[in-house]
Amino acid sequence: DLITLIQVFEHIEHPDQLLQEIKALLNQETLILVNVPNMSTNPFELVVADHDFHYSLHTLLSMLNRWGFEVLTLTQHHIPKELSAICCLSDIPLSPAVQDVEPIRHLLEKTLNELETLVKHCFQVKEASQNHPFGLLGKSYANAYLTGLLENQVDFFVDESPVNINTTYFNKPVYHPSNVPQGAFCFLPFPQTMANMIGTRLHMAYPHIEWKF
């Protein structure tokens, strides 16, 4: 048997209660697949209004172990910006755990600093664009957050997905990169490593746009 909990735990106010209910459904051969956003690699995760909890490798592993699950696999490389875990019932009896808050506090401070840096960079790009059109890459909660901070001073959004092209987002057009005006500025709202990878590819494919990352 396999139980899947994909994009679930971040929305649950009391994940410990859910885990207790799940345990009642399991036998020793049942596997559980858990997938949650990774706060460690995406600082914009902190601004998602309907996420009650935010997870890192450390906190997800700690929660599952604390409630009597053995984690067989835990990775942040299967899906970008997400954590994936496969676990089962543990043979080790559940015992009270003392949570060390210092690593969590350090991670939260680090993530908040990264978020502040990305926001400042976005404002700098907007200011540098002057009279050129200014846009954001993608349709995401990161862009929803930035659009609000910019008081809707975004001219367009860019997306390569056929589903999103020629639609609107916050009443602004969503362009394919090939249709973005010559010389327009486009900010990539991603953690630096991911932004470098995406931005380098886009710069090579669409050099008429000022990709900023």
Side-chain angles (χ1 to χ4, degrees), residues 112-159:
L112 286 170
N113 287 335
E114 290 174 351
L115 177 62
E116 182 180 3
T117 298
L118 281 167
V119 169
K120 285 182 178 179
H121 187 31
C122 179
F123 272 78
Q124 291 168 351
V125 172
K126 169 60 181 172
E127 183 177 357
S129 67
Q130 297 182 348
N131 296 324
H132 296 278
F134 171 79
L136 299 170
L137 179 66
K139 292 173 63 176
S140 65
Y141 51 79
N143 280 342
Y145 179 68
L146 291 173
T147 300
L149 292 180
L150 290 163
E151 299 181 343
N152 211 33
Q153 295 182 44
V154 176
D155 300 306
F156 62 90
F157 296 89
V158 183
D159 207 301

Side-chain angles (χ1 to χ4, degrees), residues 79-98:
I79 302 174
K81 300 189 292 185
E82 297 184 11
L83 297 170
S84 299
I86 297 176
C87 54
C88 63
L89 282 176
S90 176
D91 294 327
I92 302 174
L94 177 64
S95 59
V98 178

Side-chain angles (χ1 to χ4, degrees), residues 49-69:
D50 64 342
H51 286 187
D52 293 302
F53 284 88
H54 307 285
Y55 294 94
S56 66
L57 284 168
H58 173 78
T59 57
L60 181 59
L61 176 63
S62 176
M63 180 184 72
L64 293 171
N65 287 162
R66 190 164 64 249
W67 289 101
F69 294 91

